[in-house]
Amino acid sequence: MMITLKEAAQKIKAANKILITAHIQPDGDAIGSTLALMQMLRSIGKSAQIFIDDTVRKNLHALPHFEEIRRPEDGEKFDADLMIVLDTSIDRIGGVRKLTDAPILNIDHHVTNKGGDFELYVETSAAATCEIIFKLAAELEVEITPEIATCLYTGLATDTGFFQFSNTRAETLATASELIRRGVSPHFISEQLEQKSLSEVRGLSAALNSLKMFYDEKVAGMILDHDTAKKFDSTEGFIDEIRVIETVDVAFLITEKAPNFCRVSMRSKGVNVAQIADKLGGGGHIRAAGCTLKMPLDEAEKILVAAIGEAL
Ligand code: 5GP
Ligand code: MN
């Protein structure tokens, strides 16, 4: 059931023990929004705990209260009277789903979020879930501390590619401006976020070497087999290096994480890649989406290239 942000705030005010989660393969918006909301809820006397069922990229570990994020263990239960799911539909929260039977409140900005048998506030024009959480703070009458502001700014910055992507709107920059007023240092956050390990940079070179072009150079893809991919810990940002090719509308990266387990990332300048990802069992935004293809790498490449060709 779709609800308003005001109704979401009322639901939160009525709860006391709140479990917060976000998607697996968490990005800056997932981590930033959960950490900000946890601090906001605690400041109005709620008990709040974040669980995320995945590892988190190192450059987000410096965010305030990061060390308090827990990963669910097999068979573990958590006593809560509300579970808040941020930045995703509830199919991407892994083992957190089994921690509690508490009612769910889902807050998200993905067009592919189809909701379910619970309350959903989805604002697809919001650049980031952090933009929504900033507005929620006003509804909850919470003061935005410098720590909360830092978490929210991180989500805005990462989901917009530092305010460059098409999802950047006036409200995004107004929110960022307000967060800077509350104590955020954009320079400090940018420097933290752009850090890469040596192996990641070496990985980027391997990825660029795998570049393939399709459909009159309208589509660019990088394909990383398991042996190559396992040498480095993250492929974040790789796809942006080929999205910029002047002829390219759709860029993709396929990473064979394990045999028969291929992760797909897509970016576009026009084509609706959320629709392509949705058809393949994933989701995302019009110009940034992804999915998992549980099949051999060469088969995944064929299916993905065909699906992109159909959409062109
Ligand atoms: P990325 O390529 O950065 O992993 O993901 C791009 C966007 O697509 C993000 O907003 C992410 O949440 C979404 N996305 C990526 N993979 C999946 C997936 O398997 N399922 C769904 N529903 N969304 C995905
Ligand atoms: Mn997001």
Side-chain angles (χ1 to χ4, degrees):
M1 189 183 51
M2 299 282 246
I3 58 168
T4 63
L5 195 59
K6 210 176 240 347
E7 287 165 336
Q10 277 157 4
K11 189 129 184 102
I12 291 169
K13 282 181 188 159
N16 287 304
K17 287 204 78 177
I18 303 172
L19 189 165
I20 306 168
T21 191
H23 56 86
I24 51 171
Q25 288 143 359
D27 52 19
D29 194 28
I31 299 299
S33 63
T34 52
L35 283 173
L37 183 61
M38 179 179 80
Q39 296 171 75
M40 284 163 48
L41 296 182
R42 287 178 179 175
S43 79
I44 51 168
K46 311 289 182 192
S47 141
Q49 175 63 47
I50 302 170
F51 280 90
I52 292 189
D53 194 9
D54 212 339
T55 53
V56 180
R57 196 169 176 235
K58 224 166 70 194
N59 57 4
L60 295 169
H61 290 200
L63 283 174
H65 298 274
F66 174 82
E67 68 288 348
E68 290 183 61
I69 297 178
R70 287 169 58 185
R71 196 169 174 172
E73 283 166 34
D74 269 351
E76 186 180 358
K77 289 282 168 199
F78 186 79
D79 178 28
D81 56 13
L82 181 67
M83 168 151 85
I84 304 181
V85 179
L86 297 181
D87 198 37
T88 180
S89 43
I90 66 158
D91 55 328
R92 288 187 80 212
I93 61 171
V96 176
R97 190 83 182 87
K98 299 199 193 107
L99 281 173
T100 174
D101 295 323
I104 293 170
L105 169 62
N106 187 190
I107 299 176
D108 189 16
H109 69 131
H110 287 93
V111 275
T112 46
N113 190 332
K114 298 178 187 86
D117 194 13
F118 49 81
E119 281 163 329
L120 168 68
Y121 177 75
V122 62
E123 189 177 330
T124 57
S125 55
T129 298
C130 281
E131 205 177 295
I132 306 173
I133 300 301
F134 177 79
K135 291 199 286 187
L136 183 64
E139 294 290 346
L140 291 170
E141 293 164 78
V142 166
E143 195 203 327
I144 309 246
T145 61
E147 289 76 25
I148 294 174
T150 297
C151 297
L152 292 176
Y153 186 93
T154 297
L156 288 186
T158 51
D159 262 26
T160 58
F162 292 87
F163 310 102
Q164 293 182 56
F165 298 157
S166 59
N167 57 350
T168 308
R169 57 177 178 171
E171 214 171 324
T172 318
L173 292 171
T175 305
S177 160
E178 200 50 49
L179 294 173
I180 293 168
R181 240 188 274 283
R182 316 266 170 128
V184 165
S185 163
H187 156 76
F188 178 74
I189 294 178
S190 300
E191 279 209 338
Q192 290 263 315
L193 290 173
E194 73 185 8
Q195 306 250 5
K196 282 185 173 20
S197 65
L198 176 60
S199 77
E200 262 177 273
V201 174
R202 294 217 160 105
L204 176 60
S205 138
L208 287 171
N209 267 325
S210 77
L211 178 67
K212 278 193 192 175
M213 305 299 293
F214 307 86
Y215 305 114
D216 293 329
E217 302 186 344
K218 285 197 194 71
V219 176
M222 296 188 292
I223 297 129
L224 290 175
D225 62 30
H226 183 54
D227 275 346
T228 312
K230 73 180 180 201
K231 291 187 201 137
F232 37 91
D233 29 282
S234 171
T235 56
E236 205 173 287
F238 286 15
I239 195 166
D240 297 315
E241 302 295 331
I242 59 168
R243 189 182 57 91
V244 296
I245 299 171
E246 55 194 3
T247 56
V248 164
D249 187 341
V250 179
F252 71 81
L253 168 69
I254 311 180
T255 311
E256 188 183 30
K257 293 266 181 190
N260 293 318
F261 192 95
C262 303
R263 276 290 309 160
V264 173
S265 274
M266 284 183 279
R267 299 290 183 271
S268 101
K269 293 178 192 151
V271 168
N272 184 342
V273 287
Q275 220 164 44
I276 303 173
D278 197 29
K279 270 188 206 155
L280 298 173
H285 308 288
I286 292 172
R287 293 193 169 86
C291 61
T292 299
L293 296 175
K294 291 179 180 161
M295 57 186 77
L297 188 57
D298 50 349
E299 200 177 315
E301 180 186 332
K302 256 184 231 148
I303 285 182
L304 181 67
V305 170
I308 294 171
E310 242 173 76
L312 277 178

